Amino acid sequence: MQFTLKVWRQADREATGDFVTYPVDDISADTSFLELLDILNERLLARGDEPIAFDHDCREGICGTCGCMVNGFAHSHERETTLCQLHMRSFTDGETIIIEPWRSRAFPVLKDLIVDRSAFDRIIQSGGFIAICAGSAPDANATPIPKEAADRAMDAAACIGCGACVAACPNAAAMLFTSAKIAQLASLPQGHPERIERVKKMVSTMELSGFGSCTNHGECEAACPKGISVNFIAKLNRELIRAALWG
Amino acid sequence: MLDAKIPAGPIEQKWDTHKFKLKLVNPANKRRFHIIVVGSGLAGASAAATLAELGYDVSVFCYQDSPRRAHSIAAQGGINAAKNYQNDGDSIYRLFYDTVKGGDYRSREANVYRLAQVCNQIIDHCVAQGVPFAREYGGMLANRSFGGAQVSRTFYARGQTGQQLLLGAYSALSRQIGLDKVKMHTRHELLELVVVDGRVRGITTRDMVTGELGSHAADAVVLATGGYGNVFYLSTNAKGCNVTAAFRAYQKGALFANPCYTQIHPTCIPVTGEHQSKLTLMSESLRNDGRIWVPKNKGDTRPPDHIPEAERDYYLERRYPAFGNLVPRDVASRAAKGVCDEGRGVGPGGLGVYLDFSEAIERLGKAAIAEKYGNLFQMYAKITADDPYEVPMRIFPAVHYTMGGLWVDYNLMTTIDGLFAIGEANFSDHGANRLGASALMQGLADGYFVLPYTIGDYLARSGNNPQDTTDGEFQSSREAASARIAKLLTIKGERTPDAFHRQLGKLLWDTCGMSRNGPGLETAMAEIPKIRDEFWQNLKLAGSPDGLNQTLEKAGRVADFIDFAELMVIDAHHRTESCGGHFREESQTEEGEALRDDDKFSYVAAWERSDNPAQPTLHKEPLTFEHVLPSTRSYK
């Protein structure tokens, strides 16, 4: 297969970026999208050009490192697919593909397709945990947890922190990411003692980090490679009201 | 003689007695000790969080953009613990016994016993952290049998157990970062270790965004930098996983133990072509319900549903009736290679075997299978474009885990004073073969419940270690790192780092992969120095040392992989017995099973660097077995 790639190139955080066009040919349909970038990079390096910088690590859809906008879709036009899970058989031969980094004020571009997502870490640091020290836990079966609650917590906990929800949102909101952690911990009895403080602190950090507000577009769920539901955003809002009433 | 510092006394009491004898650091003094943790996976994140909870001053370094991304996250199947919640006869002793036996009698009994002891606390702690383990309708934790165990002792969170445990450790670490007890350095790579008078003083790092080299002094350094599976180029490891930190420690005098022990995992998605950049694991939990088979006849290219039952060979069930599809990984991998070598493999190139769920789907229903393995089936379908609910999966073994690592004593300290190694980065608990669901257990055991005790004893004994990072050893360390980077960038040859890495990986897979023999390893020993020579004369890089430069990072790692590969094949060559994941063709039974030589090789091979990389010095730590007496593993 052959493609024309229009790739965002930006030297560093302060530089002005632009699209650069690269034709690539001789690509097998079983090549993954990141392998396509590998092949292009090998060819660029062979002729002495600097390869395209992109984030990636596990290449099996779980670490959340990779991600960029492909033809305007976060990760992929395919449902529940990370960039590394996207394969070239999903494109048509000869297609032009536009590749750019996540676009959000809270995710500054570091180079080419790499962005700084440390704002996500700061949201977790402000309250996305249960404060327990190693050694002090009771027996694991001491507190029965209904299967439905455990399953709901797991649905929320499946978030890989890739940032596609922010990239897909017209407001660049981080509500899906934040709500997933809040919903996970609020679904479990272990999360209850810090429930009020947690939602207040995490939402406050989120708002101070430069993310936009949620206006119910639902683009986040559509883009989420793990299918995290927008129902968790409703849950976050309920937790916020709860915190306002009882906090 | 290497002293593993194994405490005296009955095995059941060793750890408790030892914990009591360990010196304590006064709570008010803990904040005066600075500990550096390199790596933020299960072992590193859990250790860093726990040390900070205790009051130490902790700094953490990882190459990823966030500690949540370490490759522990990709572990799928589960974590073992001897809770015996299923009332099926499990116990600490049984878990200990299974792990020593599974490791083919090449691990330390005392370490394994401690691991089996502390693992129950891990489950308690993770549940308290909010890890959403699978549960039964009554609200209790669910378990499954996993990877060669005859009891159901594996706890799991769908097919994402590693992710959930790592996010648990990450949340604990994040809490400490938020409290300012841990200073987190993401996108930082360790380039050199600073050692003075046999004691570790700190590290030299490169900020991967700015290119700046930095010096960081510490009273103790913990390496939690994972395994070296990527030496093979193709493996199930993340692309960034590397041996650099461990190998830098080796270069500074730490002993490297059993580098030839690598685990080839039986259930991975087969290679599709030259463009392939990594391999993907399919959890071996799939073997609980999937049946492995190949056609009985060579060269049978019919689609699987056209091959009648009578013409299928369920070779694991046939050869190992007691364990069937659940034999340990090394046995399952070699059997798959065997049937493919016979010409009965399936799929492109004949390098694959079927993993068939049709019977389980008929018996349990599609919904039940989807609940257990849904995300794995989805992952498989995305990569192969086949639907495993309809057609059998195709699987083939791939490099997955490395049992070898930095040699550590019972306290998890290397032979460099103050330098500790935990998780996959050390060698200690899995012998020559790791059982399924044991990696998560070991990483978290080391980080939450072992290292926090033993490191305190070291600090209490050695006292503070204030260092000036502006000159002396720190300065020469920065200069060495800087010179190496400059050298890589000035070669200006013709071949890319990936080209060298692929070449090295193929050589190792062919000579030091699933089976090894003397002449093959000798070829590798002759070829690796040639690859190294060419690398340092013909490497092509672009960009500058300042700022983000991914090919430069890769080049540094490949350089270390090349040097490390030499050590690995030397170890594989010297160990002329077969054991666990190390299968020497010269040493097998008439039936083709691995044949150990306990008289000659019942020891840990710990290698010390010498000026000639082809002749490292071998130190032996004898292994003695008082409880699990070595026998030929039989899974028949």
Side-chain angles (χ1 to χ4, degrees), chain B residues 154-474:
Chain B
T154 302
F155 295 79
Y156 61 100
R158 293 192 191 144
Q160 294 126 281
T161 318
Q163 179 199 27
Q164 293 310 314
L165 295 175
L166 181 66
L167 293 181
Y170 162 75
S171 72
L173 174 61
S174 295
R175 174 174 162 238
Q176 298 302 322
I177 297 169
L179 293 169
D180 226 10
K181 300 283 179 61
V182 171
K183 178 108 181 65
M184 185 73 220
H185 303 261
T186 59
R187 295 196 196 267
H188 275 68
E189 181 160 52
L190 181 150
L191 293 184
E192 293 287 347
L193 214 62
V194 181
V195 179
V196 181
D197 301 332
R199 178 169 171 183
V200 73
R201 308 288 169 155
I203 62 173
T204 300
T205 58
R206 180 172 182 271
D207 179 328
M208 292 155 69
V209 178
T210 64
E212 196 181 332
L213 298 180
S215 293
H216 310 270
D219 298 298
V221 173
V222 181
L223 297 185
T225 48
Y228 47 83
N230 270 351
V231 69
F232 288 92
Y233 185 74
L234 285 181
S235 83
T236 66
N237 285 3
K239 291 294 283 178
C241 295
N242 64 80
V243 76
T244 291
F247 198 72
R248 297 281 118 200
Y250 169 77
Q251 293 286 32
K252 291 285 180 192
L255 302 191
F256 206 107
N258 303 329
C260 78
Y261 291 167
T262 49
Q263 180 163 78
I264 316 281
H265 197 290
T267 53
C268 302
I269 300 177
V271 176
T272 56
E274 279 297 307
H275 55 82
Q276 192 111 9
S277 60
K278 76 151 284 179
L279 297 171
T280 303
L281 174 76
M282 291 281 103
S283 167
E284 75 182 329
S285 62
L286 293 170
R287 287 199 275 148
N288 285 343
D289 286 304
R291 298 179 70 196
I292 294 176
W293 63 275
V294 290
K296 274 193 176 148
N297 303 316
K298 277 186 202 175
D300 188 340
T301 53
R302 288 175 291 175
D305 55 336
H306 286 71
I307 301 177
E309 200 61 29
E311 291 176 46
R312 300 177 176 190
D313 179 12
Y314 295 89
Y315 58 90
L316 288 177
E317 297 171 22
R318 173 172 58 80
R319 282 171 60 179
Y320 308 100
F323 280 69
N325 293 299
L326 295 175
V327 291
R329 293 173 176 179
D330 54 336
V331 177
S333 291
R334 273 198 299 280
K337 179 179 189 295
V339 295
C340 293
D341 287 349
E342 288 166 19
R344 296 194 289 144
V346 298
L351 291 177
V353 300
Y354 289 124
L355 178 60
D356 195 337
F357 292 89
S358 52
E359 194 217 59
I361 290 172
E362 209 165 287
R363 181 162 43 91
L364 304 167
K366 189 174 167 180
I369 294 298
E371 173 158 349
K372 276 188 184 168
Y373 311 115
N375 72 313
L376 301 171
F377 277 38
Q378 184 220 31
M379 193 194 276
Y380 182 85
K382 280 196 194 308
I383 292 174
T384 62
D386 279 344
D387 178 4
Y389 292 104
E390 300 298 326
V391 292
M393 285 185 179
R394 280 182 299 107
I395 54 165
F396 196 67
V399 175
H400 174 58
Y401 185 89
T402 54
M403 284 74 68
L406 289 170
W407 185 88
V408 290
D409 62 17
Y410 189 71
N411 296 317
L412 305 180
M413 190 160 89
T414 68
T415 47
I416 295 175
D417 250 12
L419 180 69
F420 293 78
I422 59 175
E424 192 180 351
N426 74 27
F427 87 103
S428 69
D429 295 357
H430 306 297
N433 175 55
R434 181 175 64 73
L435 287 182
S438 298
L440 304 181
M441 174 171 73
Q442 187 223 339
L444 291 179
D446 287 358
Y448 284 132
F449 297 114
V450 180
L451 180 85
Y453 287 86
T454 60
I455 205 168
D457 179 70
Y458 169 77
L459 294 169
R461 285 171 198 281
S462 60
N464 268 115
N465 182 20
Q467 295 290 312
D468 180 1
T469 58
T470 53
D471 57 7
E473 276 301 310
F474 279 94

Side-chain angles (χ1 to χ4, degrees), chain A residues 42 58 60 89 111 121 139, chain B residues 85 170 278 383 496 548:
Chain A
E42 284 290 283
C58 80
E60 48 190 83
R89 55 177 168 262
K111 184 173 184 175
D121 287 321
D139 183 86
Chain B
Y85 283 158
Y170 162 75
K278 76 151 284 179
I383 292 174
T496 64
L548 212 157

Side-chain angles (χ1 to χ4, degrees), chain A residues 12-13 37 41-42 52-53 57 72 81 83 108 112 120 196 217 242:
Chain A
D12 57 41
R13 203 172 176 137
L37 293 180
N41 275 346
E42 284 290 283
I52 299 158
D57 208 17
T81 303
L83 191 62
D112 298 340
F120 270 8
I196 289 170
H217 284 263
R242 201 171 180 280

Side-chain angles (χ1 to χ4, degrees), chain A residues 59-118:
Chain A
R59 297 203 175 191
E60 48 190 83
I62 192 75
C63 73
T65 310
C66 69
C68 51
M69 302 301 287
V70 179
N71 289 341
F73 292 96
H75 288 300
S76 162
H77 57 284
E78 289 182 2
R79 277 288 171 114
E80 296 190 23
T81 303
T82 57
L83 191 62
C84 60
Q85 292 176 313
L86 180 64
H87 286 71
M88 298 321 291
R89 55 177 168 262
S90 306
F91 296 85
T92 45
D93 199 9
E95 194 173 339
T96 297
I97 305 172
I98 298 167
I99 307 167
E100 53 189 321
W102 290 161
R103 302 289 193 191
S104 160
R105 192 170 11 139
F107 291 165
V109 175
L110 296 177
K111 184 173 184 175
D112 298 340
L113 304 175
I114 297 181
V115 298
D116 177 356
R117 286 169 293 195
S118 54

